[in-house]
Amino acid sequence: MSVATEVRVPDIGDFTDVPIIEVHVKPGDRVNEDDPLLTLESDKATMDVPSPLAGVVREVPVKVGDQVSQGSLILQVEPGDGAVAEPPSLVEQQEPEELELPESNQGKPNQADQKQADQKQGEQDQAADFSQTHAGPSVRRLAREFGIDLTSITGTGPKGRITKDDVLSFLKGPAATPAAPAAQGSGIPEIPVQDFSKFGPIEVKPLVRIKKLSGPHLHRSWLNIPHVTHQDEADITELDRYRKELDTAAKPDGYRVTLLAFLIKAVVAGLKRFPEVNSSLNPDRDALIYKQYYNIGIAVDTPDGLVVPVLREADRKGITELSKELGAVSARAREGKLSSADLQGGTFTISSLGGIGGTAFTPIVNAPEVAILGVVRATTKPVWEGERFVPRLVLPLSLSYDHRVIDGALAARFTRNLADLLGDVRRILL
């Protein structure tokens, strides 16, 4: 018998004491290289720890609910042949298919079921241990999302295995009126609780994990930062012509050139000219921390909500490199394959709704950053050129900022400078 190899938690960024929410293997299981062994959940994202080699699992000294850090021992694998069947992809493991509740779930609330679920909710929010139940990883995750104790469900699958249909059966009847949430110390009165089922049929679905994690962060930013949004417009007629030329040339090489790459270049140039916009308040709020690096966060729309991967050292990359990196990181975000390192270290964020529409919006500052740029779809407008109106492609810009750091005049100068840069593509490429 060959010597077993210790598998430890790889580099997970600055996170420590990260809880384990799923263990995908047990002693005796065969695994292939890169098979997911367990899933961690930080305050920003979930992370799968892959197997570094193929072989047989010999020992799993951790369980669901344990907290681990970089270097923690999680299991031992004896090198050898891996599993015969091709394992499910990370996407399949992380993204269970969307489920619709049965029609009976739209009727009168089943208070008995909800009372039982409420009693278990607090424990399950702390990563319930379903490792001893006879159910697959996707079913355990589904139960955790819906706040269900799998130990209270009798499986109808082979050898008593709990299936998704078993979970759906348990969910019959909509949730009862939830209790008023506990005060959060903000001094803000809570919204009165209503029983919506009195007015018509309802359906209760839990928030997806990304929204559960990002919601408190956005709420904290909104309550702590005095937000102001400055609006402006940029004439991108010439820039878009040039972008289309680059995009046409890039398609045969398998990537696209979008406006976002040019926005990143223009933003970096603006941050260098107005360094306060690339700063953060220190913990005592009596000084500014000026960052000498330019890591730009890009809000990406995924099936489960927005995530903000970070493009590092954006000042050192050209349009082509940025375009390729944008395509790659957006694909990983939509497939749920972002690592913790992908989400850290941003100095400024861009939120683009250009592919959807709109005229303007107020993005929430991604604290501890002090500003965020929101852009929507560019439209063709008649612009007066002294003697006549001519059609020009105009891009709306929305800069939300922390008024403790950035005043209105600085916000206006930064946004106008951004518009000027986008209006003359030559200045962006200098």
Side-chain angles (χ1 to χ4, degrees), residues 266-279 290 294 348 370 406 409-418 421:
V267 161
V268 168
L271 296 177
K272 289 182 177 181
R273 182 173 179 182
F274 302 98
E276 293 93 337
V277 187
N278 201 49
S279 69
Y290 289 86
Y294 304 90
F348 185 93
V370 296
I406 301 172
L410 175 57
R413 292 189 181 98
F414 177 85
T415 313
R416 180 87 307 257
N417 177 73
L418 186 60
L421 291 169

Side-chain angles (χ1 to χ4, degrees), residues 182-188 190 223:
Q184 300 181 10
S186 64
I188 300 175
E190 294 289 347
L223 291 177

Side-chain angles (χ1 to χ4, degrees), residues 3-12 17-20 22-23 25 37-38 40 49-50 52-53 56-78:
V3 178
T5 299
E6 292 185 343
V7 179
R8 299 181 179 273
V9 177
D11 182 7
I12 54 175
D17 298 328
V18 182
I20 299 172
E22 287 192 41
V23 177
V25 297
L37 302 175
L38 52 80
L40 311 178
V49 177
L53 74 165
V56 179
V57 177
R58 289 305 180 199
E59 183 180 352
V60 184
V62 295
K63 63 182 182 302
V64 172
D66 287 352
Q67 295 184 336
V68 295
S69 304
Q70 180 178 341
S72 299
L73 176 65
I74 55 175
L75 52 78
Q76 294 184 349
V77 176
E78 181 181 330

Side-chain angles (χ1 to χ4, degrees), residues 51-386:
S51 175
L53 74 165
V56 179
V57 177
R58 289 305 180 199
E59 183 180 352
V60 184
V62 295
K63 63 182 182 302
V64 172
D66 287 352
Q67 295 184 336
V68 295
S69 304
Q70 180 178 341
S72 299
L73 176 65
I74 55 175
L75 52 78
Q76 294 184 349
V77 176
E78 181 181 330
D81 295 333
V84 176
E86 186 67 19
S89 67
L90 289 178
V91 180
E92 293 170 334
Q93 299 216 19
Q94 293 181 9
E95 305 296 341
E97 61 187 43
E98 185 175 353
L99 297 175
E100 296 183 359
L101 298 182
E103 292 184 1
S104 60
N105 201 36
Q106 300 180 11
K108 185 177 180 181
N110 186 326
Q111 296 182 3
D113 285 351
Q114 180 59 29
K115 182 177 180 181
Q116 181 182 16
D118 287 343
Q119 291 173 346
K120 298 293 183 180
Q121 185 63 44
E123 299 175 1
Q124 291 170 3
D125 284 344
Q126 298 296 322
D129 185 358
F130 298 152
S131 59
Q132 302 304 314
T133 58
H134 191 25
S138 62
V139 173
R140 294 200 303 273
R141 174 170 176 169
L142 177 65
R144 188 175 296 108
E145 294 284 358
F146 277 87
I148 296 173
D149 181 4
L150 280 181
T151 60
S152 63
I153 298 179
T154 301
T156 60
K159 298 182 179 180
R161 188 178 183 87
I162 299 173
T163 67
K164 290 182 180 179
D165 288 338
D166 295 329
V167 177
L168 283 175
S169 297
F170 189 85
L171 283 170
K172 287 182 178 179
T177 303
Q184 300 181 10
S186 64
I188 300 175
E190 294 289 347
I191 298 173
V193 176
Q194 291 192 43
D195 181 3
F196 300 105
S197 65
K198 295 190 303 182
F199 309 108
I202 64 171
E203 181 180 5
V204 178
K205 291 184 178 181
L207 286 173
V208 296
R209 179 175 282 112
I210 287 178
K211 291 184 178 180
K212 286 181 180 179
L213 296 174
S214 64
H217 175 75
L218 293 171
H219 190 205
R220 183 168 60 247
S221 293
W222 184 255
L223 291 177
N224 284 282
I225 294 177
H227 279 71
V228 182
T229 302
H230 181 82
Q231 312 283 353
D232 208 329
E233 293 181 332
D235 185 335
I236 61 168
T237 308
E238 277 73 29
L239 185 154
D240 197 54
R241 290 196 190 104
Y242 179 55
R243 180 199 67 78
K244 289 178 178 177
E245 293 177 6
L246 295 181
D247 186 48
T248 300
K251 287 180 182 178
D253 293 331
Y255 70 97
R256 303 298 301 272
V257 177
T258 66
L259 178 62
L260 198 49
F262 290 92
L263 279 170
I264 293 172
K265 293 294 291 183
V267 161
V268 168
L271 296 177
K272 289 182 177 181
R273 182 173 179 182
F274 302 98
E276 293 93 337
V277 187
N278 201 49
S279 69
S280 289
L281 277 168
N282 73 337
D284 294 329
R285 299 187 183 90
D286 59 2
L288 285 182
I289 301 172
Y290 289 86
K291 300 155 193 172
Q292 307 300 320
Y293 53 93
Y294 304 90
N295 297 342
I296 308 301
I298 303 297
V300 177
D301 185 24
T302 75
D304 281 344
L306 290 177
V307 294
V308 186
V310 176
L311 275 66
R312 300 181 180 278
E313 298 182 338
D315 56 316
R316 301 183 182 183
K317 299 172 182 176
I319 296 297
T320 297
E321 187 175 359
L322 287 172
S323 297
K324 291 179 179 178
E325 189 171 346
L326 280 168
V329 76
S330 297
R332 292 204 307 277
R334 287 188 289 268
E335 295 168 359
K337 294 183 179 179
L338 291 175
S339 68
S340 61
D342 290 324
L343 304 170
Q344 299 181 63
T347 63
F348 185 93
T349 298
I350 300 174
S351 180
S352 174
L353 301 178
I356 303 174
T359 57
F361 69 105
T362 299
I364 297 178
V365 175
N366 188 18
E369 299 169 17
V370 296
I372 179 173
L373 177 68
V375 295
V376 292
R377 180 177 296 170
T379 57
T380 300
K381 293 185 177 181
V383 177
W384 182 252
E385 286 195 345

Side-chain angles (χ1 to χ4, degrees), residues 401-425:
Y401 56 93
D402 185 339
H403 211 327
R404 298 171 301 177
V405 178
I406 301 172
D407 58 28
L410 175 57
R413 292 189 181 98
F414 177 85
T415 313
R416 180 87 307 257
N417 177 73
L418 186 60
D420 291 340
L421 291 169
L422 294 171
D424 188 351
V425 67

